[in-house]
Amino acid sequence: MPYLTLSDGTEMYYVDQGEGQPIVLCHGWPLSSDAWQTELKVFFDAGYRTIAHDRRGHGRSSQTSTGNDIDTYARNLAELVEHLDLHDVVVVGHSTGGGEAVRYAAKYAGGRVAKVVTAGAIPPIMVKSESNPDGTPIEVFDEIRDNVLNRRFQYWYELAEPFYGANREGADVSQGLKDDFWRQSMMCGLPAAYDCIEAFSETDQTEDLKALDVPIMIAHGDDDQIVPIDDAARKSIELVKHGTLKVYPGASHGIHGAYQKQLDQDILDFIKA
């Protein structure tokens, strides 16, 4: 299995397959590159070089107790892209990975990025404040912290329900999908799982969005219970220069089922456009 030793000594696991224009996939919290298994095959079959990494502290990468913040995530991604000498990159990020992708493209890409795609992404900022009165109250994130610290073994099972919309009437969400969410979440080190809550909720990426000078497709399900569309995608599209907003009716935060098939096709169409 390929690993990259980052500049601070962290071992980053990654998958790299195929040839052609590179698509780099950034996963959400508290998952791993395994969340992109379908996309790794679909995009590879479509003729692209597909790369996905386990963010520091997640999956098979080092379980770091430091650097669990959006800026470090983006700088680590830059090291991976430079290590593989990738150019004309399409960087795709889900949830927290969307924040990682946007920060990377805006600040660290050095001309290597051609396009950006986000899905259910956290920018511009989630937490409620005087400057963001429509955001989610800090108490919600404090409760998540308490659950992760004290009862994560059960909490990951519970979080899978709203994550994939399994708590909606008529939802078609398999037990296997929820079990895999638990499996990936349990692979995330506790410091990373805990610290990333602040990273995904309190990092203001308004200036990152404004700084993007490449096309971005902002995808979001309108029944996202984790990152509400009105507080994220609908605000982000107003801040970017070259943006396309794709709204998926009834889609959850987690990427699965019909939403996943349509999103993957839309990403391929966006790359070719």
Side-chain angles (χ1 to χ4, degrees):
M1 295 189 295
Y3 281 85
L4 168 65
T5 302
L6 299 170
S7 57
D8 67 351
T10 299
E11 295 290 314
M12 176 187 279
Y13 170 85
Y14 67 94
V15 179
D16 178 12
Q17 57 189 34
E19 298 178 351
Q21 183 178 11
I23 302 175
V24 177
L25 302 159
C26 306
H27 64 80
W29 171 89
L31 303 176
S32 70
S33 59
D34 287 353
W36 291 117
Q37 284 292 321
T38 297
E39 286 69 30
L40 284 165
K41 176 166 175 53
V42 168
F43 297 157
F44 169 82
D45 288 347
Y48 293 92
R49 181 178 180 182
T50 54
I51 299 106
H53 62 289
D54 290 356
R55 190 179 303 119
R56 63 189 298 121
H58 297 66
R60 286 142 291 205
S61 293
S62 298
Q63 293 199 3
T64 54
S65 58
T66 59
N68 300 303
D69 58 82
I70 295 297
D71 201 64
T72 303
Y73 297 159
R75 286 190 284 107
N76 291 168
L77 177 57
E79 289 191 57
L80 176 63
V81 171
E82 290 162 13
H83 170 72
L84 297 175
D85 195 25
L86 305 178
H87 297 271
D88 199 26
V89 174
V90 178
V91 59
V92 179
H94 172 238
S95 194
T96 301
E100 174 186 357
V102 167
R103 174 62 59 86
Y104 165 69
K107 189 175 179 180
Y108 295 110
R112 293 176 182 264
V113 169
K115 293 184 178 181
V116 178
V117 178
T118 64
I122 58 172
I125 185 170
M126 290 187 67
V127 73
K128 182 178 181 178
S129 65
E130 289 186 8
S131 59
N132 186 41
D134 299 325
T136 302
I138 189 67
E139 290 78 12
V140 172
F141 301 111
D142 288 341
E143 183 178 357
I144 296 172
R145 273 183 274 267
D146 181 67
N147 279 311
V148 168
L149 182 62
N150 295 305
R151 54 185 300 275
R152 62 193 178 281
F153 310 99
Q154 178 61 28
Y155 179 63
W156 298 135
Y157 280 119
E158 296 169 1
L159 183 60
E161 295 289 315
F163 193 94
Y164 291 110
N167 56 350
R168 298 307 199 204
E169 185 176 355
D172 183 15
V173 181
S174 70
Q175 187 61 47
L177 180 62
K178 292 185 284 186
D179 287 348
D180 193 53
F181 179 89
W182 184 90
R183 177 190 68 85
Q184 291 185 60
S185 300
M186 287 301 299
M187 291 173 69
C188 184
L190 179 55
Y194 187 92
D195 293 348
C196 190
I197 298 165
E198 178 178 352
F200 71 62
S201 64
E202 300 182 47
T203 304
D204 190 343
Q205 297 196 255
T206 300
E207 296 306 316
D208 293 333
L209 291 165
K210 290 180 179 179
L212 283 179
D213 58 2
V214 297
I216 178 171
M217 186 181 97
I218 300 171
H220 219 108
D222 69 2
D223 193 33
D224 190 325
Q225 300 172 63
I226 307 300
V227 182
I229 187 172
D230 288 340
D231 297 337
R234 295 199 193 278
K235 291 183 178 179
S236 293
I237 194 63
E238 299 298 323
L239 296 169
V240 296
K241 300 182 187 75
H242 312 291
T244 300
L245 176 62
K246 291 275 188 177
V247 178
Y248 297 81
S252 64
H253 186 66
I255 301 170
H256 70 105
Y259 169 39
Q260 183 172 37
K261 291 181 180 179
Q262 187 61 58
L263 175 63
D264 290 351
Q265 185 58 57
D266 288 344
I267 291 173
L268 291 172
D269 291 345
F270 176 69
I271 294 172
K272 295 173 185 175

